[in-house]
């Protein structure tokens, strides 16, 4: 089997399964475990379907880095539950899900799936770095369109897009991005900057939607080219030009917020997806019994494999 690295956008996935699996699924002590079971089922399906040989769960060590907020104060502001001076702001997370996040981490550790994060950076940045530095084909599993900027057909970097549900996964290649949005993957971050993204609190350029953004990028190549053309009064209507010029303060900083980091200092060990030894298997089965993970743990163990089985 040829090597293939799979990178999980962990928060994107556990939010999705929390709302997709009934909260009536509980552990013997009454604690909710719907997100834990759903997360395990996702891993089992992904491993069986796409056959990665390496797997990393990428984590938001900081879901709203201050340096991004300093550039664009509205960045994810609508998702803040509590502002923490000098620390990490608290994200709005339903209590039953928040209680399960440590359980998800514990099951990942039991399954010997490495968790990778970086101080002051989001999982997107971890994914950006690991995908960019990988020497093997890469599958990025996420429901976040921002990561389309990492798609690279020449290096076989794809996105397994989960927004339409786990029963309707979409493999996003460069061809898919161009067909759907009219831009290349390497233009996608500029495209997102121009049109904005309400889910991340990014205002975009007022009056510039997807079609206009794609047209401008087709004509001028990138954001720098669009700004240069607007300042020169060339290659766009007077109305669009005025919108670009009015948004210059935003356009000067937004690319640093929208673009994912690709050069973090990361060390990930043990990402080879190999059958679990007896110790790891026993730990995983103990967690399954403690939290009533039942068939979900059975399926993920079958997908990963158990040594000697």
């Amino acid at each position: 089997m040829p090597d293939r690295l799979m990178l999980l956008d962990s928060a994107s996935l556990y939010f999705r399964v929390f709302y997709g699996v009934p909260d009536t699924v509980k552990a013997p002590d009454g604690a909710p475990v719907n997100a834990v079971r759903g997360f395990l089922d996702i891993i089992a399906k992904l491993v069986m379907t796409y056959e990665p040989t390496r797997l990393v769960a990428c984590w938001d060590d900081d879901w709203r880095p201050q340096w991004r907020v300093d550039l664009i104060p509205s960045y994810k502001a609508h998702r803040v539950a509590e502002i923490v001076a000098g620390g990490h702001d608290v994200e709005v997370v339903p209590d039953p899900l928040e209680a399960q996040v440590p359980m998800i981490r514990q099951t990942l550790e039991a399954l010997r799936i490495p968790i990778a994060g970086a101080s002051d950076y989001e999982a997107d940045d971890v994914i950006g770095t690991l995908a960019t530095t990988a020497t093997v084909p890469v599958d990025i599993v996420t429901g976040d369109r921002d990561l389309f900027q990492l798609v690279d057909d020449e290096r076989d970097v794809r996105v397994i897009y989960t927004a339409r549900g786990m029963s309707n996964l979409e493999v996003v290649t460069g061809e898919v991005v161009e067909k759907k949005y009219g831009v290349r993957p390497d233009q996608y971050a500029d495209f997102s900057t121009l049109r904005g993204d309400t889910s991340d609190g990014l205002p975009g350029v007022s009056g510039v939607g997807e079609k206009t953004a794609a047209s401008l990028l087709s004509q001028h190549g990138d954001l720098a080219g669009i700004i240069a053309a607007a300042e020169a009064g060339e290659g766009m209507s007077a109305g669009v030009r005025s919108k670009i010029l009015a948004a210059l303060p935003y356009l000067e900083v937004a690319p640093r917020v929208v673009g994912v980091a690709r050069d973090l200092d990361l060390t990930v060990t043990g990402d080879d997806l190999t059958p679990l030894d007896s110790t790891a298997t026993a730990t995983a089965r103990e967690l399954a019994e403690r939290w009533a993970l039942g068939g979900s743990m059975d399926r993920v163990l079958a997908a990963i494999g158990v040594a000697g089985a």
Side-chain angles (χ1 to χ4, degrees), residues 2-309:
D3 280 347
R4 179 171 287 276
L5 171 63
M6 178 170 281
L7 304 173
L8 306 180
D9 183 359
S10 300
S12 170
L13 297 180
Y14 62 62
F15 268 97
R16 176 162 297 280
V17 296
F18 173 75
Y19 290 108
V21 178
D23 60 7
T24 52
V25 178
K26 298 184 184 296
D29 64 359
V33 292
N34 57 322
V36 184
R37 293 187 64 159
F39 202 93
L40 292 176
D41 283 335
I42 281 181
I43 293 175
K45 177 169 183 174
L46 291 169
V47 170
M48 294 298 290
T49 304
Y50 300 104
E51 299 184 326
T53 58
R54 297 161 58 188
L55 181 63
V56 179
C58 302
W59 216 261
D60 282 327
D61 278 12
D62 190 346
W63 71 278
R64 188 177 185 244
Q66 186 60 47
W67 61 270
R68 282 192 165 109
V69 176
D70 290 342
L71 293 169
I72 299 181
S74 63
Y75 183 64
K76 296 187 177 179
H78 61 295
R79 288 157 56 181
V80 175
E82 179 185 353
I83 295 176
V84 179
H88 301 319
D89 293 339
V90 178
E91 185 178 13
V92 176
V93 180
D95 289 344
L97 173 56
E98 186 173 17
Q100 293 180 73
V101 173
M103 300 162 73
I104 291 171
R105 288 186 66 106
Q106 196 168 342
T107 56
L108 288 169
E109 290 165 358
L111 294 169
R112 305 284 171 87
I113 296 173
I115 299 170
S119 179
D120 299 322
Y121 286 93
E122 301 172 56
D124 286 9
D125 302 304
V126 175
I127 291 170
T129 296
L130 294 177
T132 300
T133 58
T135 57
V136 299
V138 179
D139 284 337
I140 299 164
V141 186
T142 184
D144 185 353
R145 291 186 299 174
D146 281 345
L147 291 174
F148 290 175
Q149 65 187 273
L150 295 171
V151 170
D152 186 336
D153 288 350
E154 288 188 7
R155 298 182 55 246
D156 197 5
V157 178
R158 316 179 298 183
V159 166
I160 309 300
Y161 192 47
T162 65
R164 295 190 297 177
M166 290 306 297
S167 61
N168 196 16
L169 296 171
E170 181 181 13
V171 177
V172 178
T173 61
E175 181 181 357
V176 172
V177 173
E178 291 192 49
K179 184 176 180 179
K180 185 173 292 190
Y181 300 104
V183 298
R184 302 186 309 271
D186 63 282
Q187 296 173 310
Y188 192 86
D190 286 348
F191 173 74
S192 185
T193 294
L194 287 163
R195 69 148 191 232
D197 187 343
T198 55
S199 67
D200 279 342
L202 298 172
V205 176
S206 179
V208 172
E210 289 194 352
K211 289 185 178 180
T212 301
S215 177
L216 288 169
L217 286 165
S218 176
Q219 188 169 359
H220 302 291
D222 57 18
L223 190 56
I226 293 169
I227 293 172
E231 291 176 334
E234 300 172 349
M236 64 190 70
S237 69
V240 171
R241 176 176 182 263
S242 67
K243 292 169 183 174
I244 296 295
L245 294 177
L248 283 180
Y250 161 77
L251 293 175
E252 288 174 358
V253 298
R256 293 169 58 194
V257 176
V258 176
V260 301
R262 299 173 185 243
D263 58 355
L264 300 182
D265 184 12
L266 297 174
T267 301
V268 180
T269 57
D271 62 349
D272 287 339
L273 201 56
T274 57
L276 299 182
D277 61 24
S278 58
T279 300
T281 302
T283 300
R285 293 201 183 282
E286 190 277 325
L287 291 180
E289 183 176 355
R290 185 195 312 173
W291 293 330
L293 302 180
S296 296
M297 183 63 83
D298 292 339
R299 284 185 286 274
V300 79
L301 287 175
I304 294 173
V306 174

